[in-house]
Amino acid sequence: MGARSLFIGTVSTVSICLVPGIQSAQAQTAPGTSSEVLPAIEVVSPGTGARPARNRNTARATRNVRRVFVYPTAPTPTAGSGMDVDKVPSAVNAFGARQIERTGSLNIADALQQQVPGIVTSEVSGNPFQPDIQFRGFVASPVSGTPQGLAVYQNGTRINEAFGDTVNWDLIPTAAIRSVTVVTNNPAFGLNALGGAVNVLMKDGFNYQGAEINTMGGSFGRIQSSAQWGKQIDSFSVYGALEGLRDGGFRNFSESKVRRFYGDVGYRTDSSEFHLNVGVANNKFGAAATVPVELLQNYWGATYTTPQTTNNQVAYVNLTGKVEATPTWTIEGSARVRAFRQKTVDGNPTETVRCAADPGLLCFNNDDVAANGLNGLQLVNPFPADAILGQIDRTTTRSTTTGGSLQATNTDQVFGHNNQFMVGASLDSGVTRFGASAELGTIGSNYVVNGSGIFLGPSGEPTVIGPVSLRATNRYTGLYALDTFDVTDAFSITGGGRFNHAQIRLEDQIGTALNGEHTFSRFNPIIGATYKINSGLTAYAGYSEANRAPTPLELACADSARPCMLAAFLVADPPLKQVVSRTVELGLRGSKELNIGTFSWKLGGFRAENNDDIMAIPSPEFQGFGYFQNVGSTRRQGIEAQVNLTSKTMQLYASYALVDARFLTALQLPSASPFAVDGNVQVLPGNRIPSIPRNRIKAGIDYWVTDQLKVGGDALFVSDQYFVGDESNQAARLPSYAVFNTHASYQINKTLQIYGRVDNIFDRRYATHGTFFQTDDVPNFANGGAEFTDARSVSPARPRAFYAGLKATF
């Protein structure tokens, strides 16, 4: 095996500088376990240089060999690509399979929230497997219409979906994850990396051997199971993981079903490595969304209007390769294809009303504007006089994306100094077919919308609703280069940048209203430096820029005069500007060997300013409708601190993050807030951006009572936040919350382990997301049909839950 490939095995001594979340195999090891978060490469150091060791045995005999843990600096598909973690001029955030397993969850969001200081999750969709993941005030969400500020990669493949840049976290096979890094201040990760990039690397048969079956069940009908197997046969490897889950949910109509498979076949020699990996998933969710607080006062599992279901399907193939062309040149690349299908069903109130002049006919929004059918004729009213009208909105999204990437890395010395240079290119092309329809119906006392078989055609003045059939194509091209030069053994500087070019074409399959072509281009630079003050302390500072092109969804819904039901009824395409973010960050990180174990820590600050930020704006005229708009400048700044302590019998972590997110431009926005004047709120520079809590505190501990018995727990505190719609910061905030969880495991023998956990042990009732709704759309059936009096609507969190499981390892 070539020296630049993964170092597999147990490290016999702890002599490597650690930072929180980045730990060597030994430091991660407790009785009966082993883990490696970041891959290691071996390099030889003749004098002041550093070159990859072509042959491990001969290199050790003739040169000074050192082991370096590497951190990704570009979205490459292979582990071991990147730079020495001590030379990264930004915050370092990483965790591995052991930290994911610690959560007892098949949901990657749980580990992200535990392990990364700046991350919090919220259930905007109302389902825990479709969370919004927020990092430093930037979001990666599965909810269409959410401005996406994080790029997400799986084995080097960008998995922000083609149509709306959404991220469907449920499609990532959690059991098959080897490591996750949250990379900041680096434009090499391309579009959407305004706040950073989540980089997920998967297991293969070279780094995972053996078999495991893990089954768990518990509260709310939860039953989940995963199985994985890996094997290396000479130069070949094979790996496979299968996952299944069913959860009834604690809210009405919130059942979840998850089915995922991931497989990898690999081949490597001393100087090359190739992998073919495939994955499929078919997941179904009851997404209960937010619910009026007045309903929650009667029943914590209440829902508002249903059905609200989502069916996600994906299939992908990814071919990757890495070749050491010379002792100092490495070439790696990938080719991929990904097919994504999504169907949503969403019951809502409707703007369809009985006409004032003739109650036997239906009107839309105003009682004198015709509601038309698919044939273009005004609809006859078939509903009883006392019926409460609603509608069932359906969407279908079918996307196929193809792409490839190529990167070359050189480690030749420059003027006798260590230097690492990388240059790369990527091309991704996506074709999406999007369709939407609206079926009228009636809303029952359980808030279920029952369809009538009557579908709305183009209706409204101007037209804001009707069937949609759209073909969108997008092509994203990127060219990047990064260079890290060691001025001295302690001081390194990094510079470079990435050029992004985005082409988006919209083709209306019904008429011409949605037709349009858009092109966005930008070069984003990076400059940074690190200084190793001593063997256990490193300082870093960096500046970078990043951009986000408007998505096809946003471009097709950008007219305030013709709002659309977000993610459904697209109507117009005025131009939007691309978002540009400028970020600076600096900090310290280090580690120290103590008598009780290895202590590691980090402390950093960041400041990111977005120009021409894009927001989803609710329509003041049409409930549930809105449009996208550039809103000027916004700023997100804060600090992050984390400490880790790892010993033979204990692992402990604690972190704090402050995120201060504010508007910098004065603007007026439509809102359903009780403080709105004529349906609008006035935003002033300095107002906080809603839905971004200012403070996050996390802590956790695992303690091995014996070699077989482990107990532990974790805690999370999230401070209050403003409701979405309260951009003027006038209403009461969504309250803060603190949640405590506990877990334990017992290793029966080498093969079997039993474990259990209790989530939210104090049964706190809290919400992770809040917004406002129109109180007069649907009666409060829980209060005798009276009108709602409180405009707040929230996403309730799961109450106390008990789980137990059995794991068999072979």
Side-chain angles (χ1 to χ4, degrees):
M1 183 180 77
R4 288 185 59 85
S5 55
L6 301 180
F7 176 79
I8 306 297
T10 301
V11 182
S12 59
T13 61
V14 182
S15 57
I16 298 170
C17 178
L18 304 177
V19 295
I22 311 298
Q23 302 188 353
S24 68
Q26 175 77 3
Q28 289 273 13
T29 299
T33 67
S34 64
S35 174
E36 186 181 77
V37 174
L38 287 182
I41 60 172
E42 290 188 346
V43 298
V44 295
S45 302
T48 61
R51 301 172 183 267
R54 292 288 295 177
N55 183 291
R56 182 174 295 171
N57 295 327
T58 58
R60 279 183 172 150
T62 58
R63 295 178 179 137
N64 178 28
V65 179
R66 65 189 180 97
R67 187 174 298 115
V68 172
F69 285 84
V70 295
Y71 196 72
T73 52
T76 53
T78 53
S81 299
M83 71 170 67
D84 182 348
V85 69
D86 280 337
K87 300 178 183 179
V88 176
S90 63
V92 171
N93 303 284
F95 59 90
R98 288 296 174 189
Q99 285 84 1
I100 296 174
E101 182 181 350
R102 180 183 185 275
T103 66
S105 171
L106 292 183
N107 188 348
I108 186 178
D110 293 329
L112 280 165
Q113 180 165 253
Q114 276 191 6
Q115 300 297 325
V116 181
I119 284 184
V120 291
T121 65
S122 60
E123 297 178 14
V124 176
S125 71
N127 189 288
F129 296 96
Q130 293 187 297
D132 277 24
I133 290 182
Q134 184 191 109
F135 175 64
R136 294 183 174 181
F138 296 91
V139 178
S141 169
V143 179
S144 295
T146 301
Q148 310 285 339
L150 298 174
V152 183
Y153 291 84
Q154 179 183 326
N155 269 8
T157 299
R158 186 175 183 268
I159 60 173
N160 295 76
E161 304 297 350
F163 190 55
D165 282 338
T166 55
V167 179
N168 292 290
W169 300 101
D170 62 283
L171 299 177
I172 301 176
T174 307
I177 295 175
R178 184 193 180 194
S179 68
V180 179
T181 49
V182 180
V183 181
T184 66
N185 213 26
N186 189 341
F189 283 83
L191 294 172
N192 290 90
L194 305 180
V198 179
N199 190 49
V200 181
L201 292 180
M202 312 301 288
K203 297 173 184 175
D204 58 54
F206 292 127
N207 56 54
Y208 181 94
Q209 285 108 40
E212 178 185 282
I213 301 174
N214 193 341
T215 300
M216 187 188 80
S219 298
F220 313 111
R222 167 75 67 89
I223 180 70
Q224 68 182 48
S225 187
S226 65
Q228 57 180 324
W229 175 78
K231 187 175 180 63
Q232 179 177 352
I233 307 172
D234 297 325
S235 297
F236 294 89
S237 72
V238 62
Y239 173 83
L242 184 66
E243 297 174 320
L245 175 145
R246 181 193 177 279
D247 189 306
F250 75 97
R251 298 178 65 187
N252 297 335
F253 315 110
S254 62
E255 182 181 36
S256 302
K257 294 181 180 179
V258 175
R259 292 172 289 180
R260 300 186 291 227
F261 170 78
Y262 177 83
D264 180 280
V265 176
Y267 171 78
R268 71 181 178 192
T269 66
D270 283 348
S271 59
S272 63
E273 185 169 344
F274 300 90
H275 288 271
L276 177 68
N277 49 73
V278 300
V280 293
N282 185 0
N283 304 334
K284 298 179 180 180
F285 305 105
T290 62
V291 61
V293 294
E294 290 179 74
L295 295 181
L296 287 179
Q297 291 169 0
N298 295 317
Y299 174 48
W300 193 248
T303 54
Y304 187 41
T305 52
T306 57
Q308 294 185 11
T309 62
T310 300
N311 179 204
N312 289 335
Q313 297 177 318
V314 73
Y316 52 88
V317 179
N318 191 21
L319 176 65
T320 69
K322 181 177 180 180
V323 177
E324 294 179 14
T326 73
T328 58
W329 277 101
T330 300
I331 310 296
E332 53 193 311
S334 69
R336 60 260 186 178
V337 59
R338 174 185 172 93
F340 171 68
R341 304 290 183 267
Q342 183 182 73
K343 294 182 179 180
T344 68
V345 179
D346 188 4
N348 289 299
T350 182
E351 293 295 323
T352 304
V353 297
R354 298 168 183 85
C355 296
D358 185 356
L361 298 176
L362 294 176
C363 289
F364 189 82
N365 190 46
N366 295 313
D367 57 14
D368 59 353
V369 177
N372 300 318
L374 296 177
N375 59 4
L377 301 177
Q378 186 171 8
L379 290 171
V380 175
N381 179 15
F383 303 107
D386 60 348
I388 299 170
L389 302 188
Q391 70 185 46
I392 300 176
D393 303 308
R394 296 178 174 88
T395 69
T396 59
T397 306
R398 296 176 296 154
S399 297
T400 301
T401 56
T402 57
S405 63
L406 186 66
Q407 176 179 297
T409 303
N410 177 261
T411 56
D412 280 317
Q413 291 186 343
V414 175
F415 304 116
H417 293 258
N418 290 344
N419 188 78
Q420 178 174 291
F421 170 75
M422 64 176 63
V423 59
S426 66
L427 174 64
D428 290 281
S429 179
V431 178
T432 300
R433 294 186 179 274
F434 176 83
S437 65
E439 178 188 6
L440 292 178
T442 58
I443 301 178
S445 59
N446 58 354
Y447 296 100
V448 174
V449 183
N450 299 294
S452 65
I454 301 173
F455 287 82
L456 279 170
S459 302
E461 290 184 359
T463 300
V464 296
I465 198 168
V468 173
S469 181
L470 174 70
R471 184 179 188 269
T473 58
N474 45 350
R475 175 171 294 183
Y476 300 146
T477 305
L479 300 172
Y480 62 89
L482 293 172
D483 189 87
T484 299
F485 177 76
D486 290 357
V487 180
T488 68
D489 289 344
F491 180 53
S492 301
I493 56 174
T494 295
R498 175 172 174 134
F499 175 76
N500 292 322
H501 183 70
Q503 296 174 287
I504 302 169
R505 181 173 182 175
L506 306 176
E507 299 172 89
D508 196 329
Q509 304 298 290
I510 294 178
T512 60
L514 297 178
N515 289 347
E517 293 192 34
H518 309 266
T519 301
F520 304 91
S521 298
R522 196 173 197 280
F523 176 78
N524 297 312
I526 176 177
I527 184 72
T530 61
Y531 183 73
K532 198 170 183 64
I533 299 171
N534 56 48
S535 61
L537 179 61
T538 299
Y540 65 87
Y543 170 83
S544 71
E545 299 179 7
N547 72 303
R548 178 175 86 81
T551 68
L553 170 62
E554 292 168 335
L555 291 168
C557 181
D559 190 343
S560 61
R562 304 178 67 198
C564 53
M565 182 164 286
L566 299 183
F569 301 104
L570 311 181
V571 293
D573 62 335
L576 288 172
K577 300 177 182 179
Q578 63 182 337
V579 184
V580 176
S581 181
R582 296 173 173 85
T583 301
V584 60
E585 63 177 292
L586 52 87
L588 297 166
R589 55 177 174 254
S591 67
K592 186 175 181 60
E593 292 298 326
L594 305 175
N595 292 333
I596 58 174
T598 302
F599 176 75
S600 54
W601 60 275
K602 67 179 180 182
L603 174 65
F606 67 91
R607 181 170 183 166
E609 185 170 318
N610 285 7
N611 293 325
D612 297 316
D613 214 350
I614 294 176
M615 288 184 62
I617 309 299
S619 168
E621 299 293 333
F622 301 93
Q623 168 66 10
F625 286 68
Y627 54 95
F628 295 94
Q629 175 181 308
N630 292 110
V631 295
S633 298
T634 60
R635 183 184 64 216
R636 295 155 178 84
Q637 61 184 357
I639 60 174
E640 296 166 339
Q642 186 176 21
V643 295
N644 282 39
L645 178 63
T646 303
S647 70
K648 293 182 179 180
T649 59
M650 182 178 66
Q651 293 181 351
L652 181 149
Y653 72 89
S655 68
Y656 169 75
L658 180 147
V659 178
D660 181 73
R662 299 184 183 272
F663 293 99
L664 300 182
T665 302
L667 65 155
Q668 192 175 76
L669 297 176
S671 173
S673 165
F675 293 90
V677 178
D678 296 327
N680 295 288
V681 293
Q682 180 63 50
V683 180
L684 301 175
N687 283 151
R688 283 175 54 186
I689 301 175
S691 198
I692 301 178
R694 186 179 173 87
N695 300 288
R696 309 108 191 262
I697 302 174
K698 308 172 186 180
I701 186 171
D702 286 323
Y703 180 73
W704 278 261
V705 180
T706 69
D707 286 352
Q708 293 77 34
L709 177 62
K710 180 182 74 173
V711 297
D714 53 82
L716 169 68
F717 169 80
V718 177
S719 65
D720 55 20
Q721 56 190 281
Y722 286 101
F723 280 72
V724 173
D726 187 26
E727 285 78 11
S728 59
N729 298 175
Q730 293 174 280
R733 305 174 194 177
L734 185 70
S736 60
Y737 59 88
V739 186
F740 298 86
N741 311 309
T742 186
H743 58 265
S745 65
Y746 183 78
Q747 194 73 32
I748 300 172
N749 53 39
K750 183 179 179 181
T751 301
L752 297 177
Q753 179 190 95
I754 57 173
Y755 62 91
R757 83 172 202 257
V758 182
D759 292 346
N760 192 3
I761 58 178
F762 298 116
D763 201 23
R764 286 288 308 275
R765 303 300 168 96
Y766 64 97
T768 60
H769 174 77
T771 185
F772 299 112
F773 77 111
Q774 294 286 355
T775 58
D776 57 356
D777 272 350
V778 181
N780 183 351
F781 295 115
N783 190 26
E787 184 175 309
F788 284 99
T789 59
D790 192 330
R792 295 177 299 164
S793 184
V794 301
S795 295
R798 180 168 289 216
R800 182 167 50 219
F802 300 86
Y803 303 99
L806 174 67
K807 182 175 71 173
T809 306
F810 307 95

